[in-house]
Amino acid sequence: MSVRDVFEPGRTAVITGSADGIGLAAARRFATMGLNVVMADLGGDRLWQAANEVRQIAREAAVEAVPVDVADPAQMIRLRERAFERFGDTAILMNNAGIGGGGHAFERPDRWTALLSVNLGGVINGVQAFTQAMIDKNRPAVIINTGSKQGITTPPGDTAYNVSKAAIKTLTEGLQHSLREMPGCRVSAHLLIPGFTFTGMTRRRFAEKPPGAWTAEQVVAFMLERIDVGDFYILCPDNDTPRALDEVRMAWSAADILENRPPLSRWHPDYRDAFAAFVARKI
Ligand code: NAI
């Protein structure tokens, strides 16, 4: 399948979480490429302002703002109906909306529920609502789910967030397998794994872009490059973390099981030196 036909002027992108950050950067980029954009986010001024901003730069393309809570399956079905009724198409579905602030394993069950219903529930709802309709359209199309390195190396801190992102990885791998096995299917799935990115989520902690962070625009540019060459895992570096370092960290994490080490040994004082030596050996 050529993804070039996906990112064609006149086709349509549906992006959740597009009032800010990576989703907004994607909306801007797709609009300048001449794609129609359906911007889905929690309603309110932020969404209208973001959509107006994208409309200013859209050339021929139409920009539609749709207030949606991705945690609600019925609202995601209505989002699909809206996209197909207005544009007859969804070439790109970005299940991207996400929040942080869950907590460790045995605190704040209310936050766990809220976080999982948005981060994981939102992606499940998007996949359930759109996939069959995109397949039935019989045109090349992509589903891009936003995961995180925290769903792969699962650092201590926000365990609820890690669980949601690990589950998105598993869900997207299973989805891509099913699509690949389906004769004649012209839809593919991709896992976007941003590095440290300066967005609404990170602006809560840093007033200015930290030197180590990428911009949301860099993430979107990298995503397009990697989809173009057919990557499933779109593993973004940032200014602090080259791909080689990510690879070493991931290899160490996976080897916790193989080596029968304690979980999260990378952050275990007894393994600090061994991890440092491992990194030094590999890079
Ligand atoms: P952001 O906070 O700038 O954008 C997220 C958007 O999602 C916001 O506009 C927000 O209103 C929307 N949203 C939240 N709950 C929603 C709901 N229930 N329904 C609809 N929309 C909702 O954050 P950012 O960084 O652009 O996040 C995008 C994705 O990237 C998230 O899935 C996040 O977990 C992921 N990510 C971000 C990283 C970073 O360093 N910024 C690193 C790795 C992953």
Side-chain angles (χ1 to χ4, degrees):
M1 183 193 84
S2 168
V3 291
R4 288 182 199 282
D5 304 332
V6 175
F7 298 92
E8 280 285 298
R11 296 213 64 193
T12 300
V14 177
I15 311 165
T16 70
S18 46
D20 207 344
I22 295 167
L24 176 55
R28 281 197 204 105
R29 179 73 188 256
F30 296 154
T32 58
M33 292 163 70
L35 282 95
N36 304 311
V37 185
V38 179
M39 296 176 63
D41 205 302
L42 299 170
D45 287 349
R46 280 174 56 252
L47 177 59
W48 309 130
Q49 279 165 14
N52 278 335
E53 187 213 305
V54 176
R55 264 183 213 113
Q56 310 290 319
I57 53 172
R59 291 177 296 162
E60 317 286 284
V63 178
E64 178 131 343
V66 184
V68 170
D69 180 350
V70 296
D72 179 357
Q75 292 188 39
M76 289 301 286
I77 289 169
R78 282 203 294 277
L79 177 65
R80 179 201 67 216
E81 289 168 351
R82 188 88 173 259
F84 276 88
E85 275 162 23
R86 171 89 203 268
F87 300 111
D89 183 28
T90 299
I92 305 155
L93 171 66
M94 274 186 80
N95 288 307
N96 165 78
I99 55 174
H104 67 62
F106 53 93
E107 68 176 350
R108 300 297 303 264
D110 54 330
R111 287 212 229 153
W112 270 80
T113 306
L115 186 144
L116 289 176
S117 66
V118 174
N119 287 17
L120 176 57
V123 177
I124 294 173
N125 294 338
V127 167
Q128 295 280 347
F130 279 81
T131 306
Q132 193 60 55
M134 291 169 75
I135 295 168
D136 293 345
K137 187 74 194 167
N138 198 22
R139 293 187 72 183
V142 293
I143 298 172
I144 305 163
N145 296 333
T146 308
S148 169
K149 295 171 192 178
Q150 287 187 230
I152 302 171
T153 56
T154 64
D158 196 341
T159 304
Y161 184 82
N162 296 351
V163 167
S164 73
K165 295 298 183 178
I168 289 170
K169 170 180 172 288
T170 305
L171 165 66
T172 313
E173 289 167 339
L175 172 64
Q176 172 55 11
H177 179 79
S178 301
L179 296 171
R180 192 180 61 213
E181 293 292 297
M182 197 175 282
C185 177
R186 304 176 80 187
V187 182
S188 62
H190 305 264
L191 182 69
L192 174 63
I193 311 165
F196 180 28
T197 313
F198 188 57
T199 63
M201 196 176 261
T202 38
R203 270 199 310 271
R204 279 167 220 126
R205 284 184 292 140
F206 306 95
E208 289 183 358
K209 187 185 93 57
W214 261 18
T215 63
E217 288 71 25
Q218 283 178 288
V219 170
V220 172
F222 186 81
M223 175 181 92
L224 290 176
E225 252 174 56
R226 299 318 304 177
I227 290 184
D228 199 37
V229 294
D231 285 4
F232 171 81
Y233 299 102
I234 305 166
L235 179 61
C236 304
D238 56 45
N239 295 335
D240 278 341
T241 312
R243 183 183 172 98
L245 182 55
D246 272 329
E247 287 178 0
V248 172
R249 289 172 172 171
M250 287 175 191
W252 178 275
S253 281
D256 277 352
I257 300 176
L258 311 180
E259 307 277 336
N260 199 19
R261 294 190 294 243
L264 307 187
S265 66
R266 183 177 146 197
W267 295 274
H268 191 305
D270 292 356
Y271 290 84
R272 189 171 296 143
D273 294 345
F275 175 66
F278 182 73
V279 174
R281 245 192 346 269
K282 297 281 180 182
I283 291 189

